[in-house]
Amino acid sequence: VNGIGERTGIVDLSTFVTATHVLDNENLKYDLKMLKSISAFVEKITGIYIYPLMPIMGDNAFTHKSGVHTDGVLKNPSTYEPFSPEMVGRERKIIVDKFAGRRAVMSKLEQYGIKATDEDLLRIIQEIKKVGDERKIVHDTDILDIAEKVLGFKAVTIPSGVDAVLFLRLEAHIYTTSVSRKIKNMKGVQKLYEMSGDEDIAIYASLKNVAELNNLIEDIRSIPGVLATSTRVVLKKYGEDNGNSC
């Protein structure tokens, strides 16, 4: 499982079983949807992190980004996927960034029930590319903000300076430290604790505004194994050299 074996490892179970299943589907009866939970369980008990670029179970295995790529997979998944991610308990993930094309952006807008004309869609894409040039990641909140401006929605005033405590609950089979590693260097994360009780991880974050907090929450929720998040905004801080403490 996960390629773990003596010295440099052995053939990964998920890769081998999936390939065998696809090549000889009629004679082999496996429930491939169990591979995800098996892989996550082994990661948890061994502490050996699943490499993001690993076939089948890696975070990037079913992630699509560039314009031509996303257009092809949305029109015909078999263009870039020899089998559906659902077959192995995974989900397809479309990333919108400065290289995104019309199809990817349209798909993202449709997720939020937003309709745009061809002209407006082009303007939205142009604004997305500007955000992508400034920073690599374009969040859903960025896309929605751009759509609001282009389509004439009423702008929302975003307060500045937000501190928050986030609590995360993970799926039972998930290795907590593997999730912590992905979060600890995210923008705004000041402190991170692995804990006992109903929640598995607590995070103290300090960000410039609510939009950045939303982006952080969105990034955390996209991590495989994160079952639920709960956010508490800090109103006052005590025990620090802070003029607003009391």
Side-chain angles (χ1 to χ4, degrees):
V1 179
N2 296 345
I4 297 173
E6 188 178 2
R7 295 184 295 276
T8 58
I10 58 177
V11 176
D12 169 49
L13 175 67
S14 62
T15 304
F16 175 76
V17 173
T18 302
T20 306
H21 182 87
V22 171
L23 293 173
D24 195 5
N25 188 35
E26 294 184 0
N27 298 322
L28 298 172
K29 306 299 180 182
Y30 297 126
D31 183 3
L32 301 186
K33 292 182 179 179
M34 293 184 64
L35 288 172
K36 179 181 178 182
S37 59
I38 293 172
S39 177
F41 176 73
V42 171
E43 180 186 45
K44 179 177 181 178
I45 63 175
T46 62
I48 299 176
Y49 180 55
I50 298 175
Y51 186 50
L53 303 182
M54 180 179 177
I56 314 298
M57 289 299 129
D59 285 350
N60 294 344
F62 297 98
T63 298
H64 308 278
K65 188 166 70 170
S66 68
V68 174
H69 196 138
T70 54
D71 182 67
V73 80
L74 287 171
K75 288 179 178 176
N76 182 4
S78 63
T79 304
Y80 291 100
E81 295 173 351
F83 51 86
S84 70
E86 291 78 12
M87 188 180 82
V88 291
R90 301 294 307 277
E91 295 180 355
R92 181 180 302 115
K93 185 177 181 181
I94 302 297
I95 301 296
V96 173
D97 64 1
K98 66 178 181 179
F99 300 110
R102 293 168 57 89
R103 182 68 178 174
V105 175
M106 186 184 303
S107 174
K108 183 64 68 174
L109 293 176
E110 288 174 350
Q111 289 181 20
Y112 293 96
I114 298 175
K115 296 181 179 180
T117 64
D118 290 343
E119 182 180 352
D120 287 336
L121 183 61
L122 180 59
R123 292 171 59 197
I124 291 171
I125 293 172
Q126 290 172 342
E127 292 300 319
I128 288 174
K129 292 183 184 297
K130 291 179 182 179
V131 174
D133 285 334
E134 294 174 0
R135 49 184 168 83
K136 187 175 181 180
I137 299 175
V138 179
H139 297 278
D140 282 13
T141 50
D142 297 317
I143 298 170
L144 293 175
D145 183 54
I146 290 170
E148 287 181 356
K149 292 177 181 177
V150 171
L151 300 176
F153 294 169
K154 184 178 179 180
V156 177
T157 302
I158 301 176
S160 60
V162 178
D163 288 355
V165 180
L166 290 74
F167 297 97
L168 277 60
R169 185 154 51 93
L170 309 182
E171 295 178 9
H173 58 270
I174 293 297
Y175 177 42
T176 305
T177 301
S178 70
V179 176
S180 298
R181 288 171 181 162
K182 296 174 183 177
I183 296 173
K184 66 179 183 178
N185 293 322
M186 287 184 175
K187 182 178 180 180
V189 173
Q190 303 297 314
K191 297 179 181 179
L192 185 149
Y193 306 92
E194 293 183 9
M195 52 198 293
S196 61
D198 294 334
E199 281 79 29
D200 300 289
I201 295 175
I203 302 163
Y204 181 82
S206 182
L207 301 121
K208 292 181 179 179
N209 51 52
V210 173
E212 286 194 358
L213 175 60
N214 286 337
N215 290 341
L216 175 62
I217 295 171
E218 186 177 311
D219 284 343
I220 291 173
R221 286 177 174 172
S222 69
I223 298 174
V226 175
L227 190 62
T229 63
S230 177
T231 305
R232 302 289 185 272
V233 174
V234 175
L235 300 179
K236 289 185 178 181
K237 292 188 289 185
Y238 296 90
E240 297 183 13
D241 184 14
N242 187 327
N244 296 324
S245 294
C246 57

